[in-house]
Amino acid sequence: MTKIYNDLYQFTNYIEPINLSLHQYLLLSAEPALIHTGTIQQAEKLVPQIKELLGDKKLKYIFVSHFEADECGGLFLLVSEFPGVTTICSEVTARQLFGFGIMHNILIKKPGDKLSGKDYNFEFIGYPSEVHLWEGLLLRETNRNIFFSSDLMFQMGKYHAEVIERSWEDAVANCGIEFIPNKEMQDKLLNNLKSINPKFVATGHGVCIKL
Ligand SMILES: [Fe+2]
Ligand SMILES: [Fe+2]
């Protein structure tokens, strides 16, 4: 676990057989939010670390970009460890969670929606996600100007708390949009990305980006 930017902490587990690092983040604001749960195995390791960082604070949100093991595999465990926590996800992701019996406090957000609290301001961007181009979400926190890129700006390899500097234009040009096999969806997402100008990209996999 490493404090990577302002009050943002990064956690990583490295999956050797597929040479991939999975990152989760805790935004330790006045109302803390966890971004992605990791797999169930990762979540077991996350719980004590999150509890230590939280101290007297309560985990308010868990943001799930889309329905995949690294983004929400540990959700069931985390909601039992942090009673009262609210999961933020898209309508499609919520349907998947319901199908797996995960029916605690779920806050459905649509692309373009916002959510503000004491010292954070979330904005949600539509994200056509695996497996069937289901509509997921990307998260932007505009007070600190952090963009959580999920599986965009993806990189294979073993990385933890590594940050490179590059321009936003360059980051968008190399964001891996080609993995979304639908031109219309690609264009929409690219337009949304071009309209923001983050200071920090917290990636789901690989190095983070400082702009
Ligand atoms: Fe994913
Ligand atoms: Fe991922």
Side-chain angles (χ1 to χ4, degrees):
M1 171 247 296
T2 304
K3 194 175 193 178
I4 196 162
Y5 185 72
N6 288 350
D7 50 359
L8 183 71
Y9 292 79
Q10 185 188 66
F11 310 87
T12 302
N13 81 322
Y14 175 64
I15 314 284
E16 200 167 0
I18 54 171
N19 187 30
L20 187 65
S21 302
L22 318 181
H23 303 314
Q24 304 82 43
Y25 297 90
L26 180 70
L27 186 66
L28 198 54
S29 64
E31 297 174 307
L34 180 72
I35 289 84
H36 298 161
T37 70
T39 61
I40 185 78
Q41 295 82 2
Q42 172 66 357
E44 283 167 359
K45 294 181 196 143
L46 270 181
V47 169
Q49 297 180 74
I50 294 171
K51 286 185 175 172
E52 190 189 328
L53 284 171
L54 288 175
D56 293 338
K57 293 180 179 174
K58 275 197 137 188
L59 186 65
K60 173 107 173 166
Y61 296 117
I62 298 174
F63 172 74
V64 172
S65 162
H66 57 278
F67 190 77
E68 259 197 310
D70 54 321
E71 280 83 17
C72 61
L75 189 60
F76 195 75
L77 174 70
L78 286 163
V79 298
S80 66
E81 290 285 343
F82 298 97
V85 73
T86 295
T87 298
I88 306 173
C89 63
S90 73
E91 203 170 350
V92 177
T93 301
R95 266 208 306 275
Q96 299 303 321
L97 294 174
F98 291 159
F100 281 81
I102 303 176
M103 301 174 75
H104 64 287
N105 302 336
I106 291 185
L107 181 60
I108 293 172
K109 287 289 168 190
K110 292 190 164 54
D113 280 357
K114 296 180 181 181
L115 179 68
S116 294
K118 286 178 188 163
D119 61 346
Y120 62 90
N121 183 30
F122 294 149
E123 288 185 11
F124 303 94
I125 298 168
Y127 179 36
S129 314
E130 307 153 51
V131 178
H132 301 294
L133 295 182
W134 287 332
E135 186 171 78
L137 295 170
L138 296 168
L139 174 65
R140 184 173 166 231
E141 197 289 309
T142 60
N143 286 3
R144 300 157 185 80
N145 214 348
I146 301 170
F147 174 59
F148 294 90
S149 69
S150 189
D151 293 342
L152 292 177
M153 300 167 193
F154 173 105
Q155 201 175 8
M156 305 290 292
K158 191 174 185 179
Y159 296 105
H160 174 68
E162 288 192 41
V163 182
I164 54 158
E165 286 194 30
R166 72 194 312 185
S167 71
W168 180 238
E169 291 71 24
D170 195 25
V172 172
N174 295 287
C175 72
I177 201 91
E178 64 275 12
F179 293 112
I180 299 170
N182 178 297
K183 182 80 175 73
E184 204 178 309
M185 289 177 172
Q186 283 184 7
D187 291 345
K188 196 173 170 189
L189 180 57
L190 275 178
N191 280 338
N192 283 330
L193 293 178
K194 284 174 184 168
S195 72
I196 64 171
N197 203 2
K199 288 258 181 289
F200 190 82
V201 179
T203 59
H205 311 273
V207 296
C208 290
I209 304 170
K210 197 165 185 289
L211 292 311

